[in-house]
Amino acid sequence: MRGRLYTQLLSIAAREHTTAEAEDVVQEALISAIAAGRSDIENPDNARWLTGVVRNRARMEARTARRRKGRETAWQAARAPDAKTSDAKPDDILAGLPPALRILAALVLTGHNRREIAYLLHLPDTALRQRVSALKRHLTAKNLAAPEELTGLSLDLAYGRIRDVLLPALLRHGGVFASHDPDGHLFLIKRSQTDTPRQ
């Protein structure tokens, strides 16, 4: 029964993943079963429960991986150097912009993030998104790429919540620096706990 169930669980997970990933999904599901008090897989109810956990976890992780890959591809494409625009200067970007877009572009070029720009311009998020899109269209029409700084404004991340979590985590863990990657995963940098210098 155990061998047959394990093979069945691997088969379910393999519909969405490679063999190695499927094994990881099944192992995580087995750990969940133990944590939930369902370690007796000879029990048909537990076997059905475990099958459902594997199916759901495999689908969820595959969906998450696809979304992550899409975000990474979009982020990398947005940051890819473009020969026609790499020499663009701030004056070239700002020239000919309508006043509202000129202010937005100036704030982006001086390093302000989405939340700060929305606050400074008294804009709701929907209006800010419209202005960012309009700025990108305007620059494309001028054969200029949007400045690198604009890529951070178009990622679908909860910047406000990320910032709200970073400072308490930084203080609680005694870190010296905290940030997040393009997917929104937080990371914290702390001083070494030993005085002995490392490599």
Side-chain angles (χ1 to χ4, degrees):
M1 169 66 177
R2 291 183 181 181
R4 191 168 71 243
L5 178 61
Y6 187 77
T7 302
Q8 179 185 354
L9 296 175
L10 280 178
S11 174
I12 292 169
R15 294 176 193 159
E16 305 282 348
H17 297 281
T18 64
T19 303
E21 291 168 340
E23 289 175 356
D24 290 342
V25 169
V26 172
Q27 292 300 323
E28 289 172 11
L30 290 170
I31 291 170
S32 296
I34 292 169
R38 293 180 174 266
S39 56
D40 180 12
I41 59 175
E42 299 290 337
N43 181 325
D45 289 338
N46 290 345
R48 280 192 297 274
W49 180 87
L50 191 55
T51 301
V53 168
V54 168
R55 183 180 299 111
N56 292 339
R57 186 181 293 269
R59 288 176 180 166
M60 183 182 67
E61 289 186 10
R63 188 167 51 245
T64 300
R66 285 193 298 270
R67 288 178 180 164
R68 183 184 309 116
K69 186 175 180 180
R71 286 194 304 269
E72 288 171 356
T73 304
W75 183 74
Q76 289 168 351
R79 292 187 62 90
D82 188 336
K84 69 181 179 184
T85 60
S86 58
D87 297 332
K89 298 176 182 173
D91 288 343
D92 297 333
I93 292 170
L94 297 174
L97 287 174
L101 296 184
R102 184 179 175 88
I103 292 170
L104 171 64
L107 289 171
V108 170
L109 290 170
T110 54
H112 292 81
N113 63 30
R114 177 186 288 270
R115 185 176 180 183
E116 293 165 342
I117 292 171
Y119 173 78
L120 291 170
L121 298 180
H122 305 288
L123 292 174
D125 193 56
T126 51
L128 180 58
R129 281 200 305 267
Q130 290 171 353
R131 285 202 194 177
V132 169
S133 297
L135 177 58
K136 289 179 179 179
R137 283 195 304 271
H138 190 86
L139 293 175
T140 301
K142 290 172 62 177
N143 206 26
L144 294 171
E148 272 189 14
E149 293 85 348
L150 273 180
T151 61
L153 296 178
S154 61
L155 294 175
D156 188 20
L157 296 177
Y159 290 103
R161 280 191 286 177
I162 289 173
R163 284 175 167 264
D164 289 343
V165 169
L166 281 175
L167 184 59
L170 188 68
L171 297 175
R172 184 171 56 252
H173 297 292
V176 294
F177 178 77
S179 188
H180 63 87
D181 66 11
D183 286 330
H185 299 118
L186 307 180
F187 63 87
L188 184 73
I189 297 175
K190 297 171 57 174
R191 295 187 189 281
S192 174
Q193 295 179 349
T194 63
D195 293 331
T196 311
R198 297 181 185 174
Q199 173 63 319

